[in-house]
Amino acid sequence: MAIDRESHVLVVAGTDSSGGAGVTRDVETVAALGLSSCVAVTAVTAQTHQSVDWIEHMPARFIAAQMRAAIAANSVKAIKIGMLGTDGAIQEAAKVLRDHSEIPAVLDPVLAASSGRALIVEDAVAALRRDLMPLCRLVTPNMPELAVLTGSASPPDEASACCKGEELVRTVWTAVLVKGGHACGSEAVDLLLQPHRPALRYASPRLPRQMRGTGCMLSSAIAASLALGASLEQSVRRARQYVFDALAGSK
């Protein structure tokens, strides 16, 4: 594994007081893959592993100010974006990405917590799709998120997930990784869909274990690999292996 502590991944995400997801998982993942992190906190939450009890969204301009300061202070080679709960936060983050288009960004479109509580205001979903996703190198929705982003029911099978993912690619015109963790079957299948390219299928045995924050881990690991110079396809493969190993070793 390459170690490059001079290079940073900018983590733009909310906190999780339980430590199970959010900024904590992101920074942990980036460090495990040999890079350093800098952060822009988008929201502070009070939550356990079962419920979200309180959410305080950071002011939109403050989020952008954190992002700009982090980029000014460090050698930022990739950006991972997680929870952006308001239209204003999305707009401000988009301004930063437009000003730093040379830095690849990976967006994990966090719409709800594992407990089911919404983490984004309803009218911000359209802004996420319209204004932020086209600026990102990759978007990583799970099945329920894909349904919301395409205004449809959750895909019942792999073929439907592929069709819906391709629909989202045509809308946002960037790469989409449809995560199959919420599906059934003996395999966990993720689909990498890119404009004008055939779909790539990544499959691994489905482990009979659960862990919060796997979406954070996956998107952060992809961003870390991109920061180290790997291709998108390589980055997805390496990140999936990292998450698989973490699940396999969990209790």
Side-chain angles (χ1 to χ4, degrees), residues 48 66 80 82 104 113 138 167 171 207 244:
T48 67
Q66 292 178 78
K80 177 267 163 85
L138 178 69
E167 178 183 328
T171 300
L207 298 174
F244 181 86

Side-chain angles (χ1 to χ4, degrees), residues 42-43 57 82-87 89-90 110 119-124:
T42 62
H57 295 288
M83 178 183 177
L84 285 173
T86 66
D87 183 280
I90 292 165
V110 179
L119 297 177
I120 185 171
V121 297
E122 186 175 351
D123 61 358

Side-chain angles (χ1 to χ4, degrees), residues 95-218:
K95 290 179 184 177
V96 177
L97 293 194
R98 280 193 289 269
D99 290 342
H100 296 279
S101 57
E102 76 283 1
I103 305 176
V106 177
L107 172 64
D108 181 13
V110 179
L111 305 181
S114 300
S115 62
R117 176 165 175 174
L119 297 177
I120 185 171
V121 297
E122 186 175 351
D123 61 358
V125 174
L128 194 70
R129 186 174 54 237
R130 181 188 65 241
D131 300 322
L132 190 64
M133 290 185 181
L135 301 173
C136 296
R137 182 69 183 87
L138 178 69
V139 181
T140 64
N142 58 31
M143 296 289 199
E145 289 162 349
L146 180 63
V148 173
L149 293 170
T150 56
S152 61
S154 187
D157 52 41
E158 186 177 323
S160 299
C162 189
C163 288
K164 289 300 176 183
E166 289 174 338
E167 178 183 328
L168 185 59
V169 168
R170 290 191 295 270
T171 300
V172 301
W173 207 246
T174 194
V176 172
L177 181 68
V178 178
K179 299 178 294 189
H182 287 77
C184 300
S186 59
E187 287 187 318
V189 177
D190 297 339
L191 301 168
L192 178 60
L193 308 165
Q194 304 177 73
H196 302 310
R197 293 191 183 184
L200 292 179
R201 184 179 188 270
Y202 298 84
S204 55
R206 187 178 297 279
L207 298 174
R209 299 177 182 180
Q210 292 186 343
M211 175 189 290
R212 289 186 60 236
T214 53
C216 303
M217 294 166 66
L218 181 69

Side-chain angles (χ1 to χ4, degrees), residues 215-249:
C216 303
M217 294 166 66
L218 181 69
S219 53
S220 293
I222 293 171
S225 287
L226 290 174
L228 289 169
S231 69
L232 181 60
E233 293 82 0
Q234 290 172 325
S235 298
V236 170
R237 186 176 299 108
R238 293 173 184 175
R240 292 186 81 259
Q241 188 63 53
Y242 175 81
V243 174
F244 181 86
D245 291 344
L247 276 169

